[in-house]
């Protein structure tokens, strides 16, 4: 399994004078998973939630006082577009952590302030044994933040929770300020052996980030594995599907995308270091319950058409399609960069020899550099602050 950090894997596309072999364009020209990542990236967001609790109480009614800092619990994860009117799917434990997770986070902060260092597992065990729960929990802020390619992306959208299902650990989130935002179609099967890419904002540690900070999403290639019944702490008793990619804190809510650019499931956690997903069938249920349509909109059709035209080396047509995608959704994260690249290639003085190698080189110039720009923008963001606690996801 090859793990790819977008900034590292695609930065070579910025060096236009490099030979085709050095750029590795054949992988981009011929690998459907590279194409799937290009299709999916504009639909993926970093999700930031902030919950305030008044205090904690044990099962016996004993109250646990908290400092101001311990009363604020911040979660960061991933979400992606799935429905009309700016609807995203996310992990419920990120969008609005349940009582147990809130109690664990608050206690870890409280003890750290007192100089006591304990693992999240030890604190969770104590919380469960004493049936500790928060009082007065309320969602203070929920923000979905785009990737930033420097051409209209990078915006943060206030979000609302439309639906939350603790059983599947999925939440349906709406962005009132982003109607017509890109979405991914859903494929409800998750057959073992299906090749996928997972995309997420995981960093390996929890953090509280300022609004302008945005770490690069990581794209990982893998294969769907067997399904199994989770034993917790996430989606206990639910059937989930293994993916042979690494899952880190912050990846929860990210998509597992197949070669056709369809989401096969939502990353929710890890087992033995590897990711597992909840199948998209559960997302379809949420959309149905909320009466939200899941058809592709004009921005999706125009953007996908532009990618196909770019891969077919029809640069004028690709430029027009990306322009149409921008007209449908002006803050698209990649359409602006790719329109600019298609314009440059359309006016370049070259001839297509018909051989696969030069075609691959042109494809690398046309799209790799654009996605690299997206990652480089993220790489310039300031370092994240230390997270309050780690959760097993």
């Amino acid at each position: 399994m090859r793990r790819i950090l977008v900034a590292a894997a695609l930065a070579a596309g910025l060096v236009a004078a490099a030979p085709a072999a050095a750029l590795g364009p054949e992988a981009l020209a011929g690998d459907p998973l590279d194409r799937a990542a290009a299709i999916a990236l504009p639909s993926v967001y970093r999700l930031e939630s902030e919950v305030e609790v008044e205090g904690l109480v044990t099962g016996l009614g004993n109250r646990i006082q908290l400092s101001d800092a311990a009363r604020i619990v911040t979660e960061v994860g991933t979400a992606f577009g799935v429905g009309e009117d700016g609807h995203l799917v996310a992990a419920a434990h990120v969008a609005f952590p349940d009582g147990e997770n809130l109690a664990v986070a608050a206690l870890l902060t409280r003890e750290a302030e007192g100089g006591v260092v304990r693992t999240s597992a030890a604190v969770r065990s104590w919380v469960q044994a004493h049936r500790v729960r928060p009082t007065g929990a309320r969602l203070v802020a929920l923000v979905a933040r785009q990737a930033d390619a420097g051409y209209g992306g990078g915006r943060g959208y206030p979000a609302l929770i439309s639906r939350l299902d603790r059983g599947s650990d999925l939440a349906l989130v709406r962005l009132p300020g982003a109607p017509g935002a890109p979405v991914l179609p859903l494929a409800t099967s998750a057959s073992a052996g299906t090749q996928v890419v997972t995309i997420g904002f995981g960093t390996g540690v929890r953090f509280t980030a300022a609004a302008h900070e945005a770490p690069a999403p990581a794209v990982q290639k893998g294969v769907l594995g067997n399904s199994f019944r989770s034993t917790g702490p996430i989606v206990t008793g639910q059937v989930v599907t293994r993916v042979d990619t690494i899952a880190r804190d912050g990846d929860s809510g990210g998509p597992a995308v197949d070669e056709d650019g369809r989401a096969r499931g939502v990353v929710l956690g890890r087992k033995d270091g590897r990711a597992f997903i909840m199948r998209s069938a559960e997302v379809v249920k949420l959309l149905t319950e909320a009466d939200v349509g899941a058809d592709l909109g004009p921005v999706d059709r125009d953007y996908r058409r532009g990618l196909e035209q770019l891969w077919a080396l029809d640069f004028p047509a690709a430029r027009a399609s990306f322009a149409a995608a921008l007209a449908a959704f002006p803050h698209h994260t990649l359409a602006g960069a790719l329109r600019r690249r298609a314009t440059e290639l359309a006016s370049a003085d070259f001839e297509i020899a018909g051989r696969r190698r030069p075609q691959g080189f042109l494809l690398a110039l046309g799209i790799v550099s654009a996605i690299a720009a997206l990652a480089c923008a993220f790489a310039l963001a300031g370092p994240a602050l230390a997270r309050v606690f780690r959760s097993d996801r």
Side-chain angles (χ1 to χ4, degrees):
M1 189 278 296
R2 178 166 55 119
R3 185 182 187 286
I4 306 172
L5 182 63
V6 180
L10 300 181
L14 296 173
V15 188
L23 285 172
E26 287 80 7
L28 183 65
D31 189 342
L33 289 181
D34 289 327
R35 298 187 177 197
I39 291 171
L41 277 168
S43 306
V44 182
Y45 299 74
R46 190 181 74 163
L47 190 69
E48 309 161 2
S49 69
E50 186 175 292
V51 178
E52 182 180 18
V53 300
E54 292 179 355
L56 302 177
V57 61
T58 68
L60 296 176
N62 298 321
R63 294 191 173 276
I64 302 173
Q65 298 299 319
L66 298 174
S67 66
D68 289 343
R71 292 173 57 225
I72 301 297
V73 176
T74 299
E75 278 283 358
V76 177
T78 306
F80 63 97
V82 292
E84 61 187 6
D85 297 328
H87 277 87
L88 318 178
V89 67
H93 72 263
V94 172
F96 198 140
D98 61 19
E100 182 176 300
N101 280 328
L102 289 173
V104 171
L107 283 174
L108 280 171
T109 302
R110 178 177 180 266
E111 296 199 355
E113 288 177 327
V116 178
V117 178
R118 296 177 63 191
T119 66
S120 60
V123 173
R124 187 176 299 278
S125 179
W126 191 88
V127 164
Q128 292 172 344
H130 293 81
R131 294 177 291 140
V132 179
R133 290 294 182 267
T135 59
R138 67 184 186 94
L139 186 63
V140 176
L142 185 63
V143 176
R145 195 167 304 283
Q146 287 179 316
D148 186 358
Y151 295 91
R155 291 173 62 91
Y157 295 94
L160 303 172
I161 296 178
S162 298
R163 214 86 180 177
L164 194 145
D165 182 5
R166 294 293 184 195
S168 64
D169 191 36
L170 294 177
L172 196 60
V173 172
R174 184 171 68 89
L175 310 183
V183 304
L184 284 177
L186 303 170
T188 56
S189 66
S191 304
T194 301
Q195 293 189 329
V196 295
V197 290
T198 58
I199 304 174
F201 286 91
T203 61
V205 292
R206 295 186 67 245
F207 58 92
T208 302
H212 66 278
E213 295 177 349
V219 178
Q220 302 182 72
K221 295 182 180 181
V223 178
L224 296 184
N226 63 301
S227 296
F228 63 96
R229 196 170 295 277
S230 174
T231 57
I234 298 172
V235 290
T236 302
Q238 297 290 318
V239 175
V240 294
T241 301
R242 193 186 311 273
V243 189
D244 66 344
T245 57
I246 297 171
R248 303 182 302 168
D249 290 341
D251 285 335
S252 291
V257 185
D258 67 16
E259 295 177 348
D260 295 319
R262 303 173 300 173
R264 293 293 183 120
V266 183
V267 174
L268 290 184
R270 60 176 175 257
K271 182 177 178 62
D272 301 325
R274 298 298 178 180
F276 64 77
I277 62 170
M278 179 63 69
R279 296 188 180 193
S280 290
E282 296 298 324
V283 181
V284 172
K285 289 181 182 179
L286 280 183
L287 291 169
T288 301
E289 291 171 359
D291 195 24
V292 174
D295 294 335
L296 296 183
V299 62
D300 305 296
R301 292 190 291 271
D302 290 328
Y303 177 66
R304 288 180 179 232
R305 185 184 303 115
L307 288 177
E308 292 295 336
Q309 291 163 339
L310 188 65
W311 289 324
L313 308 180
D314 188 350
F315 304 126
R319 178 179 56 196
S321 293
F322 292 135
L326 280 174
F329 188 70
H331 301 294
H332 195 283
T333 58
L334 285 181
L338 293 177
R339 179 185 61 175
R340 177 179 175 180
R341 203 60 174 143
T343 299
E344 294 171 349
L345 290 169
S347 60
D349 184 16
F350 59 78
E351 294 183 1
I352 303 292
R355 296 174 56 201
R356 183 168 184 79
R357 193 174 187 84
Q359 288 182 5
F361 175 73
L362 291 172
L363 293 175
L365 292 181
I367 187 169
V368 173
S369 60
I371 303 179
L374 171 145
C376 289
F378 279 125
L380 294 176
L385 302 177
R387 291 187 173 183
V388 240
F389 79 106
R390 294 189 61 170
S391 62
D392 186 17
R393 56 184 161 140

